[in-house]
Short mmCIF file of all heavy atoms in Angstrom, two decimals:
data_model
loop_
_atom_site.label_atom_id
_atom_site.label_comp_id
_atom_site.label_asym_id
_atom_site.label_seq_id
_atom_site.Cartn_x
_atom_site.Cartn_y
_atom_site.Cartn_z
N ILE P 10 37.02 1.69 7.55
CA ILE P 10 35.91 2.01 6.92
C ILE P 10 34.55 1.73 7.79
O ILE P 10 33.67 2.57 7.99
CB ILE P 10 35.60 1.20 5.65
CG1 ILE P 10 36.72 1.55 4.58
CG2 ILE P 10 34.26 1.24 4.99
CD1 ILE P 10 36.73 0.63 3.41
N TRP P 11 34.71 0.74 8.62
CA TRP P 11 33.60 0.34 9.60
C TRP P 11 33.51 1.54 10.54
O TRP P 11 32.48 1.96 10.98
CB TRP P 11 34.05 -0.95 10.22
CG TRP P 11 33.02 -1.40 11.32
CD1 TRP P 11 31.78 -2.01 10.95
CD2 TRP P 11 33.12 -1.33 12.78
NE1 TRP P 11 31.09 -2.24 12.15
CE2 TRP P 11 32.02 -1.77 13.21
CE3 TRP P 11 33.98 -0.75 13.49
CZ2 TRP P 11 31.65 -1.87 14.62
CZ3 TRP P 11 33.81 -0.77 15.02
CH2 TRP P 11 32.62 -1.33 15.36
N ALA P 12 34.83 1.93 11.19
CA ALA P 12 34.71 3.05 12.15
C ALA P 12 34.11 4.29 11.58
O ALA P 12 33.36 5.06 12.30
CB ALA P 12 36.19 3.11 12.78
N ALA P 13 34.50 4.65 10.38
CA ALA P 13 34.17 5.88 9.75
C ALA P 13 32.64 5.75 9.58
O ALA P 13 31.89 6.83 9.82
CB ALA P 13 34.68 6.05 8.47
N GLY P 14 32.00 4.79 9.25
CA GLY P 14 30.63 4.50 9.05
C GLY P 14 29.92 4.60 10.34
O GLY P 14 28.75 5.43 10.32
N TRP P 15 30.36 4.11 11.38
CA TRP P 15 29.70 4.31 12.82
C TRP P 15 29.80 5.72 13.21
O TRP P 15 28.85 6.33 13.74
CB TRP P 15 30.35 3.44 13.82
CG TRP P 15 29.68 2.08 13.84
CD1 TRP P 15 30.18 0.93 13.34
CD2 TRP P 15 28.39 1.81 14.20
NE1 TRP P 15 29.25 -0.14 13.45
CE2 TRP P 15 28.15 0.36 14.06
CE3 TRP P 15 27.42 2.54 14.89
CZ2 TRP P 15 26.94 -0.13 14.39
CZ3 TRP P 15 26.13 1.90 15.18
CH2 TRP P 15 26.08 0.60 15.00
N ILE P 16 30.94 6.44 13.00
CA ILE P 16 31.13 7.80 13.41
C ILE P 16 30.12 8.62 12.61
O ILE P 16 29.39 9.50 13.22
CB ILE P 16 32.50 8.25 13.10
CG1 ILE P 16 33.49 7.58 14.22
CG2 ILE P 16 32.68 9.86 13.28
CD1 ILE P 16 34.94 7.78 14.00
N THR P 17 29.96 8.51 11.23
CA THR P 17 29.00 9.17 10.53
C THR P 17 27.54 8.96 11.00
O THR P 17 26.71 9.85 11.20
CB THR P 17 29.20 8.73 8.98
OG1 THR P 17 30.46 8.96 8.62
CG2 THR P 17 28.18 9.52 8.11
N LEU P 18 27.23 7.69 11.23
CA LEU P 18 25.88 7.33 11.80
C LEU P 18 25.64 8.05 13.01
O LEU P 18 24.64 8.62 13.19
CB LEU P 18 25.73 5.84 11.90
CG LEU P 18 24.42 5.31 12.45
CD1 LEU P 18 23.22 5.60 11.49
CD2 LEU P 18 24.53 3.92 12.65
N ILE P 19 26.49 7.96 14.04
CA ILE P 19 26.26 8.54 15.28
C ILE P 19 26.21 10.07 15.18
O ILE P 19 25.26 10.61 15.84
CB ILE P 19 27.40 8.10 16.30
CG1 ILE P 19 27.34 6.56 16.68
CG2 ILE P 19 27.42 8.93 17.57
CD1 ILE P 19 28.48 6.04 17.28
N SER P 20 27.02 10.72 14.37
CA SER P 20 26.98 12.24 14.34
C SER P 20 25.71 12.53 13.73
O SER P 20 25.14 13.58 13.92
CB SER P 20 28.29 12.57 13.67
OG SER P 20 28.35 12.21 12.33
N SER P 21 25.20 11.83 12.70
CA SER P 21 24.00 12.28 11.92
C SER P 21 22.84 12.15 12.78
O SER P 21 21.92 12.88 12.69
CB SER P 21 23.83 11.56 10.58
OG SER P 21 23.70 10.11 10.85
N CYS P 22 22.85 11.05 13.57
CA CYS P 22 21.74 10.92 14.50
C CYS P 22 21.63 12.06 15.62
O CYS P 22 20.66 12.36 16.18
CB CYS P 22 21.73 9.53 15.32
SG CYS P 22 21.42 8.18 14.03
N ALA P 23 22.79 12.52 16.09
CA ALA P 23 22.85 13.42 17.02
C ALA P 23 22.49 14.79 16.62
O ALA P 23 22.04 15.57 17.33
CB ALA P 23 24.32 13.50 17.63
N ILE P 24 22.54 15.10 15.20
CA ILE P 24 22.14 16.39 14.76
C ILE P 24 20.74 16.44 14.41
O ILE P 24 20.35 15.92 13.27
CB ILE P 24 23.01 16.78 13.59
CG1 ILE P 24 24.47 16.80 13.94
CG2 ILE P 24 22.63 18.14 13.00
CD1 ILE P 24 25.46 16.97 12.77
N GLN P 25 19.86 16.94 15.26
CA GLN P 25 18.39 16.81 15.04
C GLN P 25 17.99 18.38 15.28
O GLN P 25 18.52 19.00 16.15
CB GLN P 25 17.59 15.87 15.94
CG GLN P 25 17.96 14.47 15.74
CD GLN P 25 17.25 13.55 16.68
OE1 GLN P 25 16.62 14.10 17.57
NE2 GLN P 25 17.24 12.28 16.37
N PRO P 26 17.12 18.79 14.46
CA PRO P 26 16.71 20.22 14.67
C PRO P 26 16.03 20.41 16.10
O PRO P 26 15.27 19.54 16.39
CB PRO P 26 15.75 20.42 13.53
CG PRO P 26 15.32 19.14 13.07
CD PRO P 26 16.52 18.30 13.39
N ASP P 27 16.25 21.41 16.64
CA ASP P 27 15.59 21.76 17.97
C ASP P 27 14.06 22.04 17.56
O ASP P 27 13.71 22.75 16.69
CB ASP P 27 16.19 23.10 18.52
CG ASP P 27 15.40 23.45 19.82
OD1 ASP P 27 14.82 22.69 20.40
OD2 ASP P 27 15.70 24.59 20.24
N LYS P 28 13.27 21.37 18.30
CA LYS P 28 11.82 21.35 17.97
C LYS P 28 11.21 22.81 18.08
O LYS P 28 10.25 23.22 17.36
CB LYS P 28 10.99 20.45 18.82
CG LYS P 28 10.81 20.91 20.38
CD LYS P 28 9.89 19.95 20.94
CE LYS P 28 9.77 20.36 22.45
NZ LYS P 28 8.81 19.62 23.22
N ASP P 29 11.79 23.51 18.97
CA ASP P 29 11.28 25.09 19.10
C ASP P 29 11.67 25.90 17.94
O ASP P 29 11.14 26.97 17.75
CB ASP P 29 11.70 25.57 20.46
CG ASP P 29 11.11 24.83 21.58
OD1 ASP P 29 9.86 24.31 21.44
OD2 ASP P 29 11.55 24.55 22.71
N SER P 30 12.89 25.57 17.37
CA SER P 30 13.48 26.45 16.32
C SER P 30 12.89 25.98 14.87
O SER P 30 13.05 26.80 14.04
CB SER P 30 15.00 26.26 16.23
OG SER P 30 15.37 24.95 15.86
N TYR P 31 12.18 24.82 14.74
CA TYR P 31 11.75 24.56 13.45
C TYR P 31 10.49 25.48 13.06
O TYR P 31 9.51 25.63 13.87
CB TYR P 31 11.20 23.09 13.38
CG TYR P 31 10.55 22.65 12.08
CD1 TYR P 31 11.43 22.38 11.01
CD2 TYR P 31 9.24 22.62 11.97
CE1 TYR P 31 10.80 22.05 9.90
CE2 TYR P 31 8.53 22.31 10.77
CZ TYR P 31 9.43 22.12 9.62
OH TYR P 31 8.81 21.78 8.42
N GLN P 32 10.50 26.02 11.90
CA GLN P 32 9.58 27.00 11.52
C GLN P 32 8.49 26.13 10.50
O GLN P 32 9.06 25.62 9.58
CB GLN P 32 10.07 28.17 10.75
CG GLN P 32 10.93 28.95 11.48
CD GLN P 32 10.18 29.69 12.62
OE1 GLN P 32 9.11 30.19 12.43
NE2 GLN P 32 10.68 29.64 13.77
N LEU P 33 7.32 26.03 10.83
CA LEU P 33 6.35 25.39 10.01
C LEU P 33 6.28 26.07 8.57
O LEU P 33 6.24 27.25 8.57
CB LEU P 33 4.95 25.29 10.68
CG LEU P 33 4.67 24.09 11.59
CD1 LEU P 33 5.55 24.15 12.75
CD2 LEU P 33 3.25 24.25 12.08
N THR P 34 6.05 25.24 7.67
CA THR P 34 5.73 25.72 6.27
C THR P 34 4.44 26.35 6.27
O THR P 34 3.57 26.03 7.15
CB THR P 34 5.85 24.65 5.16
OG1 THR P 34 4.84 23.71 5.45
CG2 THR P 34 7.28 23.98 5.33
N ARG P 35 4.12 27.08 5.20
CA ARG P 35 2.79 27.61 5.02
C ARG P 35 1.57 26.64 4.96
O ARG P 35 0.57 26.56 5.51
CB ARG P 35 2.66 28.32 3.72
CG ARG P 35 1.28 29.16 3.47
CD ARG P 35 1.41 30.00 2.23
NE ARG P 35 2.49 31.16 2.47
CZ ARG P 35 2.99 31.71 1.39
NH1 ARG P 35 2.64 31.43 0.19
NH2 ARG P 35 3.89 32.59 1.54
N SER P 36 1.91 25.42 4.29
CA SER P 36 1.20 24.31 4.18
C SER P 36 0.86 23.71 5.53
O SER P 36 -0.27 23.36 5.89
CB SER P 36 1.79 23.27 3.14
OG SER P 36 0.90 22.14 3.17
N GLU P 37 1.93 23.54 6.39
CA GLU P 37 1.88 22.87 7.55
C GLU P 37 0.93 23.77 8.55
O GLU P 37 0.09 23.23 9.38
CB GLU P 37 3.17 22.63 8.19
CG GLU P 37 4.00 21.52 7.49
CD GLU P 37 5.49 21.43 7.96
OE1 GLU P 37 5.95 22.54 8.51
OE2 GLU P 37 6.08 20.48 7.58
N LYS P 38 1.13 25.14 8.46
CA LYS P 38 0.38 25.99 9.29
C LYS P 38 -1.06 25.89 8.84
O LYS P 38 -1.97 25.87 9.75
CB LYS P 38 0.81 27.51 9.05
CG LYS P 38 2.07 27.74 9.70
CD LYS P 38 2.60 29.22 9.40
CE LYS P 38 3.99 29.51 9.91
NZ LYS P 38 4.39 30.89 9.64
N ALA P 39 -1.40 25.79 7.67
CA ALA P 39 -2.71 25.71 7.02
C ALA P 39 -3.43 24.43 7.63
O ALA P 39 -4.64 24.47 8.09
CB ALA P 39 -2.88 25.62 5.61
N ILE P 40 -2.67 23.25 7.57
CA ILE P 40 -3.24 22.06 8.15
C ILE P 40 -3.51 22.20 9.69
O ILE P 40 -4.57 21.71 10.09
CB ILE P 40 -2.25 20.91 7.83
CG1 ILE P 40 -2.21 20.60 6.27
CG2 ILE P 40 -2.60 19.62 8.61
CD1 ILE P 40 -1.12 19.68 5.90
N CYS P 41 -2.53 22.69 10.35
CA CYS P 41 -2.72 22.87 11.89
C CYS P 41 -3.98 23.74 12.13
O CYS P 41 -4.84 23.42 13.00
CB CYS P 41 -1.44 23.52 12.50
SG CYS P 41 -0.10 22.37 12.60
N ASP P 42 -4.17 24.74 11.32
CA ASP P 42 -5.28 25.68 11.54
C ASP P 42 -6.64 24.97 11.24
O ASP P 42 -7.54 25.06 12.03
CB ASP P 42 -5.14 26.98 10.70
CG ASP P 42 -4.01 27.88 11.23
OD1 ASP P 42 -3.52 27.76 12.40
OD2 ASP P 42 -3.56 28.80 10.43
N SER P 43 -6.57 24.38 10.08
CA SER P 43 -7.97 23.70 9.63
C SER P 43 -8.34 22.55 10.63
O SER P 43 -9.48 22.28 10.75
CB SER P 43 -7.84 23.27 8.20
OG SER P 43 -6.91 22.10 8.12
N LEU P 44 -7.28 21.89 11.21
CA LEU P 44 -7.57 20.74 12.00
C LEU P 44 -7.65 21.11 13.54
O LEU P 44 -7.90 20.23 14.44
CB LEU P 44 -6.60 19.57 11.76
CG LEU P 44 -6.58 18.93 10.49
CD1 LEU P 44 -5.40 18.02 10.27
CD2 LEU P 44 -7.85 18.31 10.11
N LYS P 45 -7.30 22.38 13.90
CA LYS P 45 -7.19 22.84 15.22
C LYS P 45 -6.14 22.09 15.92
O LYS P 45 -6.32 21.52 17.15
CB LYS P 45 -8.52 22.91 15.95
CG LYS P 45 -9.44 23.90 15.27
CD LYS P 45 -10.89 23.79 15.97
CE LYS P 45 -11.83 24.77 15.47
NZ LYS P 45 -12.35 24.50 14.19
N LEU P 46 -4.96 21.80 15.27
CA LEU P 46 -3.89 20.86 15.71
C LEU P 46 -2.85 21.78 16.27
O LEU P 46 -2.44 22.69 15.72
CB LEU P 46 -3.33 20.09 14.53
CG LEU P 46 -2.45 19.12 14.87
CD1 LEU P 46 -2.96 17.88 15.70
CD2 LEU P 46 -1.83 18.49 13.61
N ASP P 47 -2.31 21.47 17.46
CA ASP P 47 -1.22 22.18 18.07
C ASP P 47 0.02 21.97 17.21
O ASP P 47 0.49 20.97 17.01
CB ASP P 47 -0.90 21.61 19.49
CG ASP P 47 0.13 22.38 20.27
OD1 ASP P 47 0.74 23.28 19.71
OD2 ASP P 47 0.32 22.05 21.51
N PRO P 48 0.67 23.20 16.77
CA PRO P 48 1.83 23.11 15.95
C PRO P 48 2.98 22.40 16.43
O PRO P 48 3.89 21.94 15.88
CB PRO P 48 2.06 24.65 15.58
CG PRO P 48 0.89 25.38 15.90
CD PRO P 48 0.14 24.49 16.92
N SER P 49 3.03 22.45 17.86
CA SER P 49 4.09 21.65 18.47
C SER P 49 4.15 20.18 18.13
O SER P 49 5.23 19.47 18.20
CB SER P 49 4.13 21.92 20.03
OG SER P 49 3.00 21.26 20.52
N ILE P 50 3.05 19.60 17.73
CA ILE P 50 2.98 18.22 17.36
C ILE P 50 3.85 18.05 16.09
O ILE P 50 4.65 17.12 15.97
CB ILE P 50 1.57 17.83 17.20
CG1 ILE P 50 0.87 17.82 18.50
CG2 ILE P 50 1.46 16.35 16.52
CD1 ILE P 50 -0.61 17.49 18.48
N ILE P 51 3.65 18.88 15.05
CA ILE P 51 4.29 18.85 13.82
C ILE P 51 5.95 19.05 14.10
O ILE P 51 6.80 18.39 13.53
CB ILE P 51 3.84 19.84 12.87
CG1 ILE P 51 2.35 19.78 12.56
CG2 ILE P 51 4.72 19.84 11.57
CD1 ILE P 51 2.07 18.35 11.85
N ARG P 52 6.12 20.02 15.08
CA ARG P 52 7.59 20.31 15.41
C ARG P 52 8.16 19.07 16.05
O ARG P 52 9.37 18.65 15.73
CB ARG P 52 7.61 21.44 16.38
CG ARG P 52 7.54 22.79 15.63
CD ARG P 52 7.75 23.91 16.53
NE ARG P 52 7.14 25.15 15.99
CZ ARG P 52 6.02 25.73 16.45
NH1 ARG P 52 5.49 25.28 17.42
NH2 ARG P 52 5.57 26.86 15.95
N ASP P 53 7.49 18.31 16.91
CA ASP P 53 7.96 17.12 17.54
C ASP P 53 8.32 15.97 16.47
O ASP P 53 9.34 15.37 16.48
CB ASP P 53 7.10 16.64 18.49
CG ASP P 53 7.08 17.56 19.81
OD1 ASP P 53 7.99 18.19 20.02
OD2 ASP P 53 6.08 17.41 20.46
#
Side-chain angles (χ1 to χ4, degrees):
I10 293 170
W11 180 82
W15 272 105
I16 290 168
T17 302
L18 177 64
I19 290 168
S20 63
S21 67
C22 289
I24 301 172
Q25 294 181 353
D27 181 15
K28 71 176 184 175
D29 296 326
S30 67
Y31 177 77
Q32 298 296 314
L33 269 63
T34 65
R35 185 176 297 159
S36 172
E37 292 169 342
K38 286 179 186 177
I40 290 170
C41 288
D42 290 344
S43 69
L44 297 173
K45 297 178 178 71
L46 186 67
D47 184 352
S49 67
I50 293 171
I51 302 295
R52 287 188 195 104
D53 287 343

